Amino acid sequence: MCGITGVFNFEGHDRVSMQMLNRMNRVIRHRGPDEWGIFMDDRIGMGSMRLSIIDIRNGTQPIHNGDKTLWIVYNGEIFNFQELKQDLCRTGHRFYTATDTEVVLHLYEQYGADCLQRLNGQFAFAIWDTRKKELFLARDRVGIRPLHYAIANGALYFASEIKSLFASGKFDGKIDPFALDQIFTFWTTLPNRTAFENIHELPPGHWLRISRENFEMRKYWDFPLLPRDEHLDLTPSEICEQVRPMLFDAVKIRLIADVPVGSYLSGGLDSSGITAVIARHFNKDVQTFGMRFEETDFDESVHQGQMTNFLNVAHRELLVSNKDIADGFEAMIWHSEKPVLRTAPVPMFLLSRTVSDSGLKVVLTGEGADEVFGGYDIFKEALIRRFWARQPNSRIRPELLSTIYPDIFKNPSMKQSVINFFRQGIDTPDDPLFSHLIRWNNTKRIKTFFSDDLKGHLRDYNCLDELR
């Protein structure tokens, strides 16, 4: 990851303070420890903290186009940048680096905002047009790379992390009560809101263009939800045949780097599958990383051992104790920049620090597999509950939940209370929130502990209504 920052005085009152921009950069130095760079003119200041992965020696940001009328600061990876670069060269574009950053800039020069449709990757970037005095911000389709912004006194401030905006000295870091209501229901905020008042997050799949005369935000991508009659009706083996080459290609393009690339290996299906593809087809010497837990119920070291022996990879394990999780919680909160309702992110934070300490800058993970392939219990749970909803008084259909939660159903004293829990909303299967509503209603009970002042501020606000 890299870090980007910037201040655009779109009303043109004052030049950006170099001292302020340096403060904004320093607070996110952890994102880009290799080098930093700044561009400034009479209207804007942009900073970059770089973690160098491609073209290590020549890729210093900010990067400019041929006549220096466009400048970019960028955090991300564009996996098809080499093909895009070839196409741009054929149309007359010339490059002075071998980075994907410069390809994004020239692609914007050629196609404007439509360049985003051609990018295969994860990114957050800002482009300054010196002729139009116009700033363009963009974020990848599903929001893998963060990008925050805020407006104050005729200027737009942007940064990879909220703490950079606070470092500007222009924002007080006041908690947004409506954001708290959302977090203590959904575990996160709804798009464009953060935990802090007047601090916004550019939503995934959106771009923002701002000048003195114009402020425009648009969605350029959304999930391709198709009607049932357009779904592919394939057998599991046919699906596997289609997914296999896509998965191999997805792994291959993520290994493009001028530095070594490692892999997480928890012993679970997702990271084991990714690591197997790497070791068997691309890099048999890949370095892998996994965790062991003091709590035996969470420990998967046996499965890790089986996979590392089977693949014959160099594996490094991190033993995580309960005390490690407690000690690391504060640092995890500082990085996550929002209230967190469980401790699960802490071990991942500790493991990523282990990877960094080992000298690696890039690591592949199995993150996202449950979302893509329906691995979470809540997906199976929703199918069973929809089937149950056809005969809501059935005593047999709720028993199917025991296939997902066998340990709970073995306990007679808990069985009926669990069935009653999943019975909530069973008479409204067409509710668009049907799958998650019982979980969100369960989570929002935490709001019992909200102060009277906070409850009074929220009044009749209902974040579920906003989501609908």
Side-chain angles (χ1 to χ4, degrees), residues 382-394 397-398 422-423 425-430 434:
L383 288 173
I384 292 173
R385 291 179 65 241
R386 285 191 187 279
F387 177 66
W388 178 11
R390 296 176 198 166
Q391 294 183 18
N393 296 321
S394 171
R397 295 193 177 200
F422 287 116
R423 188 187 298 276
I426 205 70
D427 55 341
T428 57
D430 295 329
F434 176 77

Side-chain angles (χ1 to χ4, degrees), residues 1 62 139 144 165-166 185 198 214 227 236 257 283 353 379 446 462:
M1 64 182 180
R139 193 171 177 211
I144 298 173
L165 302 181
F166 293 156
T185 304
N198 303 316
N214 184 50
N283 178 16
R353 188 165 64 188
F379 299 146
I446 304 173
N462 187 323

Side-chain angles (χ1 to χ4, degrees), residues 298-398:
F298 301 108
D299 189 58
E300 296 180 323
S301 58
V302 172
H303 306 298
Q304 284 181 46
Q306 291 174 336
M307 285 304 301
T308 53
N309 292 334
F310 180 71
L311 297 173
N312 193 28
V313 291
H315 187 66
R316 181 172 175 179
E317 287 184 341
L318 172 68
L319 178 60
V320 180
S321 68
N322 292 343
K323 184 177 185 302
D324 293 331
I325 295 174
D327 292 344
F329 191 78
E330 183 178 348
M332 182 273 291
I333 289 290
W334 188 78
H335 284 290
S336 65
E337 302 187 318
K338 64 167 68 75
V340 176
L341 275 64
R342 59 180 187 158
T343 59
V346 180
M348 294 300 293
F349 166 68
L350 298 176
L351 183 61
S352 66
R353 188 165 64 188
T354 299
V355 173
S356 179
D357 291 344
S358 74
L360 266 68
K361 298 179 179 180
V362 184
V363 63
L364 271 62
T365 81
E367 300 297 322
D370 285 306
E371 286 80 2
V372 174
F373 295 107
Y376 288 124
D377 285 340
I378 196 169
F379 299 146
K380 308 165 193 173
E381 175 188 299
L383 288 173
I384 292 173
R385 291 179 65 241
R386 285 191 187 279
F387 177 66
W388 178 11
R390 296 176 198 166
Q391 294 183 18
N393 296 321
S394 171
R395 295 184 178 182
I396 299 174
R397 295 193 177 200

Side-chain angles (χ1 to χ4, degrees), residues 225-233:
L225 300 176
L226 302 176
R228 183 66 185 91
D229 59 1
E230 294 185 34
H231 291 187
L232 297 177
D233 190 12

Side-chain angles (χ1 to χ4, degrees), residues 408 412-424:
I408 297 176
S413 63
M414 294 184 64
K415 178 179 176 179
Q416 191 55 49
S417 62
V418 171
I419 289 176
N420 290 338
F421 173 76
F422 287 116
R423 188 187 298 276
Q424 299 176 76

Side-chain angles (χ1 to χ4, degrees), residues 34 51 151 173 177 202 207 211 215 220-222 246-247 251 256 260 269 286 336 359 362 366 410 416 418 445 448 459:
D34 294 331
L51 183 72
I151 296 176
L202 185 64
W207 58 257
S211 64
F215 182 99
Y220 69 87
W221 183 86
D222 205 347
M246 296 170 66
L247 178 61
V251 171
I256 299 172
L269 180 63
V286 62
S336 65
V362 184
K410 287 178 184 176
Q416 191 55 49
V418 171
R445 292 189 298 171
T448 302
R459 293 184 182 175

Side-chain angles (χ1 to χ4, degrees), residues 194-253:
T194 71
F196 302 95
E197 283 189 352
N198 303 316
I199 305 292
H200 306 282
E201 185 174 33
L202 185 64
H206 281 67
W207 58 257
L208 186 157
R209 186 157 46 206
I210 182 172
S211 64
R212 184 167 188 170
E213 299 78 23
N214 184 50
F215 182 99
E216 182 183 12
M217 182 187 296
R218 287 193 184 180
K219 179 188 288 188
Y220 69 87
W221 183 86
D222 205 347
F223 290 96
L225 300 176
L226 302 176
R228 183 66 185 91
D229 59 1
E230 294 185 34
H231 291 187
L232 297 177
D233 190 12
L234 303 175
T235 65
S237 60
E238 290 172 331
I239 293 172
C240 289
E241 289 305 310
Q242 289 203 15
V243 167
R244 185 189 304 273
M246 296 170 66
L247 178 61
F248 276 48
D249 182 66
V251 171
K252 179 181 178 181
I253 60 180

